[in-house]
Amino acid sequence: MTSNLRFRLLLLLVLPLSVLALMGAWFAYRSAEAAAGQHDQRLMRLLPALAEAVLAPSLSNQAPPLIMLPPTVEEFLRQRQNEAGYAIADLKGRVLAGDTWIRVEVPSTKAAEFHSQEFAGIMYRVAVVRVETAGAGEMVVALADGSDARQQWAKQLLMRVLLPNVLLIAAAGLAIYWSVRQAFEPLVALAGAVERRSPRDLQPIDEAASPDEVRPLVRSLNRLFALVDVQAQEQRRFVADAAHQLRTPLAALQAQVEAWALMVQSAPAPDGPRERTLVLGATQIHQLRDATRRTSQLARQLLALSRADARHAQAQPLQRVDLKDLCESLLEAFFEQAAAKDIDFGLEVVPASVWGHAWLLRELLSNLVDNALKYNPDGGRVTLRCGVRGGSAFLEVEDDGPGVPEAERERIVQRFYRLPGASGEGSGLGLAIADEIAQLHQTRLQLGEGADGAGLRVLLEFPPEPVAAP
């Protein structure tokens, strides 16, 4: 990741330099083009004067025509010394006067033509025109100039433009790479420090030792470390509490089974050891049943708590849950348990529905009803309600049992927490599971007093909008 970022920074900084270098070369060429255009115009202006220099035709095939160069042409040739020349040729392109090294290409029209020619290591710009002279008729005149800006630019392109720019870009690339590497040293050191950490080391990173640009990342890492630390501590606490809760019923089961095993070994067996039998009393059977039920319930609640984990639940699709049907099904499920304690278990339901997880809402309501029936004395009353209030659907479980003191209502939803002196053999997970599921559905358990200030009332008010789109 760091290498990629370095490469991207290097590329983003070197590319503009390369573009600027190319633009500089292009502007230099355009300047040379403009200068060359002006140079061509000057040569074209001198061609008529050179044509007027022919005063008389040749007297013989070997003799040149009579020529007298005008001052403008002489000045042009003198200023450029060995970088200029002229030629006067016939219509066959044979040079009759001037510099014979100039290659004369006879134009097909009266318009001036240009071409380039190299001689003695110099690239010349040659202007040629076919004109009617005053003394020798129609002839071809040519002017050659070796100081053409375009030719100079082409020759010096490598040494004065491309090579310096390439060297500049290479030097800038090295400087940028070194600078980026130095600038990234704190980030590399931070990555190394995090990589060398033990999985158990969740101490915050020192923000003062990081650059300002990296401090938001360090703060985010510190927040993550803090959250992971809290989660790890909660997990350790949860495992310790779960082990403690499971130890009691399992120890009772083991002690009971060990006692029966000793009784079997000491019992007389007239027909051999395989015929030994043991008769259990009703009290022993009930103790065994209670221990197994408690262990089974605790294992079921631990599994429910695990399934209520946000990541696990959010992977499940949402559905429309009918709260009225849910309450009626729970009335049937807990009817026998309520009848065993002569509890008046009733319903006050109005059609209502919410978006959520049906299996989790059933688990939530089951825990609330089970708690109400378990801790309510014989002959008590438990009422299960649902409906719509103020535009929001709600669920409510109310009993007239011992209730929960106001000072304990915040702690009662913590895992494995039980009220001091509470009766029954609960594990302290019912309300914790219900609260976990409530949070997944964007609500919380609201604990209050029951009717006439007696008992406990647990209310859930669901948000008016669905948790997510169906």
Side-chain angles (χ1 to χ4, degrees):
M1 178 180 177
T2 305
S3 299
N4 279 340
L5 191 55
R6 285 177 179 171
F7 176 74
R8 281 187 291 175
L9 285 174
L10 182 63
L11 197 62
L12 291 174
L13 292 172
V14 170
L15 276 180
L17 290 178
S18 302
V19 172
L20 290 175
L22 291 175
M23 290 178 62
W26 184 79
F27 282 121
Y29 178 77
R30 293 298 298 173
S31 299
E33 280 282 339
Q38 296 177 359
H39 185 267
D40 289 347
Q41 293 295 326
R42 185 179 182 186
L43 290 180
M44 289 181 63
R45 288 196 298 268
L46 290 175
L47 287 176
L50 182 59
E52 294 175 0
V54 182
L55 302 178
S58 351
L59 298 178
S60 65
N61 291 336
Q62 302 297 327
L66 181 61
I67 295 174
M68 181 178 293
L69 294 176
T72 54
V73 177
E74 287 185 345
E75 180 67 18
F76 172 77
L77 297 174
R78 184 172 59 254
Q79 287 178 351
R80 282 159 180 75
Q81 297 181 358
N82 296 329
E83 292 186 357
Y86 75 96
I88 297 174
D90 57 18
L91 297 181
K92 295 180 179 181
R94 185 179 56 177
V95 177
L96 302 178
D99 299 298
T100 57
W101 55 267
I102 297 177
R103 185 180 72 253
V104 178
E105 297 178 359
V106 180
S108 58
T109 64
K110 298 290 186 179
E113 295 182 1
F114 294 88
H115 66 268
S116 298
Q117 178 183 345
E118 186 177 0
F119 177 73
I122 300 177
M123 185 65 70
Y124 289 88
R125 181 72 168 171
V126 182
V128 183
V129 67
R130 184 174 177 176
V131 295
E132 188 73 29
T133 63
E138 191 174 16
M139 303 192 75
V140 180
V141 297
L143 271 176
D145 185 8
S147 62
D148 183 12
R150 180 170 37 231
Q151 307 300 332
Q152 297 294 329
W153 183 89
K155 182 184 296 184
Q156 299 173 1
L157 173 65
L158 179 62
M159 298 301 298
R160 295 192 178 180
V161 179
L162 292 182
L163 185 59
N165 284 336
V166 169
L167 293 176
L168 176 63
I169 292 173
L174 291 174
I176 291 170
Y177 180 81
W178 181 85
S179 302
V180 169
R181 183 175 180 180
Q182 293 299 115
F184 270 84
E185 280 298 326
L187 186 57
V188 173
L190 175 63
V194 173
E195 185 176 358
R196 289 190 298 271
R197 278 195 170 205
S198 166
R200 298 178 181 272
D201 185 6
L202 297 175
Q203 294 299 317
I205 302 171
D206 185 12
E207 293 186 25
S210 304
D212 292 341
E213 294 78 6
V214 184
R215 287 182 183 178
L217 174 62
V218 174
R219 282 194 290 269
S220 299
L221 285 174
N222 287 338
R223 283 196 295 270
L224 177 61
F225 288 160
L227 292 174
V228 172
D229 189 31
V230 170
Q231 185 178 16
Q233 292 179 8
E234 289 182 353
Q235 185 178 16
R236 287 192 293 270
R237 246 188 338 263
F238 175 76
V239 172
D241 292 341
H244 176 74
Q245 293 292 332
L246 283 170
R247 184 174 57 186
T248 301
L250 289 177
L253 280 174
Q254 184 178 3
Q256 192 70 41
V257 172
E258 292 287 347
W260 293 340
L262 291 174
M263 292 172 63
V264 168
Q265 291 176 1
S266 61
D271 298 330
R274 293 185 180 177
E275 300 298 328
R276 291 174 180 172
T277 59
L278 180 66
V279 178
L280 300 178
T283 302
Q284 293 172 317
I285 295 296
H286 290 161
Q287 288 176 351
L288 178 62
R289 183 195 62 184
D290 293 341
T292 53
R293 281 182 177 178
R294 184 179 177 188
T295 305
S296 176
Q297 181 185 13
L298 181 58
R300 182 186 62 79
Q301 287 183 323
L302 290 174
L303 178 61
L305 191 60
S306 174
R307 295 178 68 192
D309 179 77
R311 290 173 297 178
H312 184 276
Q314 288 172 1
Q316 305 294 325
L318 296 178
Q319 55 184 333
R320 178 68 71 176
V321 182
D322 191 321
L323 299 183
K324 182 174 179 291
D325 289 345
L326 180 62
C327 292
E328 291 174 349
S329 66
L330 285 176
L331 177 65
E332 297 177 4
F334 286 91
F335 179 78
E336 291 185 5
Q337 183 178 343
K341 297 182 66 174
D342 195 25
I343 292 178
D344 180 13
F345 187 19
L347 287 179
E348 296 180 7
V349 293
V350 175
S353 61
V354 295
W355 282 101
H357 304 280
W359 55 277
L360 283 177
L361 289 175
R362 182 179 181 84
E363 183 69 28
L364 178 152
L365 202 54
S366 295
N367 280 281
L368 295 181
V369 173
D370 182 65
N371 273 0
L373 295 175
K374 183 183 299 181
Y375 296 106
N376 218 25
D378 295 353
R381 177 179 51 83
V382 174
T383 305
L384 180 57
R385 301 186 181 94
C386 74
V388 179
R389 183 183 301 155
S392 300
F394 74 92
L395 281 172
E396 187 176 85
V397 179
E398 183 181 357
D399 63 68
D400 59 353
V404 177
E406 186 175 356
E408 298 286 343
R409 289 173 188 169
E410 290 292 330
R411 302 184 61 188
I412 198 67
V413 295
Q414 297 177 4
R415 299 175 182 178
F416 298 108
Y417 180 79
R418 300 189 66 202
L419 288 176
S423 61
E425 297 182 349
S427 59
L429 281 176
L431 288 178
I433 294 172
D435 190 58
E436 192 88 17
I437 296 173
Q439 292 182 48
L440 287 175
H441 291 79
Q442 299 182 1
T443 183
R444 293 297 301 267
L445 297 182
Q446 302 178 35
L447 306 181
E449 294 180 346
D452 301 327
L456 178 68
R457 180 176 60 88
V458 183
L459 172 66
L460 286 94
E461 291 182 330
F462 295 91
E465 296 294 333
V467 176

